[in-house]
Amino acid sequence: MRLNGGLERLRRCASNLAEILVSIDEMRLVTENGQERLGMDVGESMTGISSPALPSRFLIVTLGERYLALNAESICGLLTLEEMGNVEHPTVHGMVYGAIDLADRLRVPNDQDGANTRVVLLAEREARGSVRVTTVQGFLEFPLSQILPLPMQFSGPERHWYRGMILFEKKHCVGAEHSVGS
Amino acid sequence: MLRTGQQHHPETARQSWQLLVFSVGGRRLAVKTLEVSGISQWNESIPVAGRTPFVTAVVRQGQIVLPVFDLAASLHLTVQGSSPLCLRVKHPLGKMAMCIDEEIPILSISRLGSTV
């Protein structure tokens, strides 16, 4: 799937990004939202799809003041609130993207109605979901091998929420003047 | 960054521990020096949303990411000073970082269960 064309052209990542980004496990996020699992165990990692050594593109978003990285392979669209309309679960091309209250799940405050709020449409195989984020920062590229595991001291359910952590060197910030999937 | 609180007594070495005494929210606490991996200035931590009590952030030190244990919160205290310190301690699951008061920690000796 491709990012919906014409929604917006994402800007270059800001140079003041946090130096550590947390990579969300989109697969688990979507499948644990009550979506049909279609035979794939939620513990199965999507990181096995791409070669760990090859760069993968991540959409960097903020939720509250947390920086999160979403694998672009799981993203099939970005909507403004206006584009989404007055619905709880956005529907695009007849596909319903069930709303996932990520802020509630992560227990972080989130201005979900701010001017920069965006709705990220996620899809993993046939499972779909949508997440409201505070801002969209842009894209960064990292090899999957660069994702560090979450320290073991994080022992709660968050271990299932995150792929791991990305150490962000500001010099590695790459531009993203084009859309996902292009 | 450390100052010695007491003269060392070699004859008691077998029955004593060397301790690092530090403060959090003005409360004096101690940890065995063998369990300390370092002390440095506190750098901004990066919050990580989760549900593990008092483990809600990480700090980066070069290419290493350390989880932060919020010792002050666990004691219902607030770290004092405008330049807090980062105490890195060893843990069975890996090193951890704690934010402590800016007061410089001291080395001390504990003998037979009492600190001198």
Side-chain angles (χ1 to χ4, degrees):
Chain A
M1 299 180 77
R2 297 165 62 92
L3 184 72
N4 291 4
L7 287 175
E8 62 181 309
R9 293 173 70 82
L10 291 172
R11 60 188 178 278
R12 187 177 295 272
C13 270
S15 60
N16 60 347
L17 281 177
E19 291 192 355
I20 301 174
L21 306 170
V22 180
S23 175
I24 289 282
D25 187 336
E26 303 87 0
M27 165 58 95
R28 190 174 291 269
L29 187 69
V30 171
T31 54
E32 285 189 352
N33 196 41
Q35 303 291 327
E36 190 175 355
R37 290 169 57 173
L38 294 175
M40 173 174 266
D41 188 276
V42 293
E44 190 172 339
S45 172
M46 292 299 291
T47 57
I49 290 178
S50 302
S51 168
L54 295 176
S56 290
R57 186 177 292 176
F58 291 88
L59 182 68
I60 309 303
V61 303
T62 62
L63 190 67
E65 296 179 351
R66 273 73 167 172
Y67 283 87
L68 302 174
L70 297 166
N71 193 325
E73 290 183 8
S74 303
I75 298 172
C76 52
L78 274 179
L79 299 175
T80 63
L81 294 180
E82 184 179 22
E83 289 167 332
M84 192 175 81
N86 189 26
V87 296
E88 183 180 358
H89 306 291
T91 301
V92 178
H93 301 315
M95 302 286 191
V96 178
Y97 293 79
I100 303 168
D101 193 344
L102 187 57
D104 179 67
R105 185 176 298 194
L106 302 184
R107 292 181 179 171
V108 299
N110 180 29
D111 177 8
Q112 299 203 324
D113 298 312
N116 297 318
T117 294
R118 295 291 182 273
V119 178
V120 183
L121 305 179
L122 300 169
E124 290 286 358
R125 301 202 177 174
E126 297 302 316
R128 288 174 293 279
S130 60
V131 176
R132 281 194 188 199
V133 298
T134 310
T135 64
V136 172
Q137 297 288 314
F139 285 107
L140 290 175
E141 288 185 343
F142 297 98
L144 292 175
S145 59
Q146 201 170 318
I147 299 179
L148 302 176
L150 197 65
M152 291 298 292
Q153 286 87 347
F154 289 92
S155 58
E158 64 270 18
R159 295 206 66 78
H160 304 300
W161 302 341
Y162 303 126
R163 276 205 188 89
M165 321 196 79
I166 301 167
L167 299 188
F168 171 61
E169 301 288 352
K170 288 174 182 172
K171 63 183 178 183
H172 290 167
C173 188
V174 295
E177 299 296 335
H178 46 79
S179 300
V180 175
S182 61
Chain B
M1 186 159 281
L2 300 178
R3 56 191 168 91
T4 304
Q6 292 287 331
Q7 262 195 324
H8 183 61
H9 302 285
E11 67 276 11
T12 65
R14 288 182 182 177
Q15 299 174 327
S16 64
W17 293 292
Q18 198 166 41
L19 298 176
L20 180 75
V21 180
F22 60 98
S23 298
V24 172
R27 182 179 297 183
R28 306 282 276 177
L29 302 165
V31 60
K32 291 179 185 175
T33 54
L34 289 175
E35 296 173 353
V36 174
S37 63
I39 301 174
S40 58
Q41 292 294 320
W42 178 258
N43 292 323
E44 185 181 3
S45 61
I46 308 293
V48 177
R51 294 182 187 169
T52 305
F54 309 115
V55 183
T56 57
V58 293
V59 290
R60 180 176 177 180
Q61 299 197 327
Q63 292 302 305
I64 297 173
V65 176
L66 297 179
V68 175
F69 181 77
D70 195 343
L71 180 60
S74 71
L75 298 172
H76 305 289
L77 299 170
T78 302
V79 172
Q80 294 180 353
S82 57
S83 302
L85 301 175
C86 177
L87 174 63
R88 299 188 299 278
V89 296
K90 298 169 187 171
H91 183 277
L93 296 177
K95 293 177 183 174
M96 297 186 73
M98 295 186 291
C99 186
I100 63 174
D101 291 354
E102 66 180 357
E103 183 180 346
I104 301 297
I106 61 171
L107 289 173
S108 184
I109 304 292
S110 173
R111 285 185 300 178
L112 300 174
S114 63
T115 304
V116 296

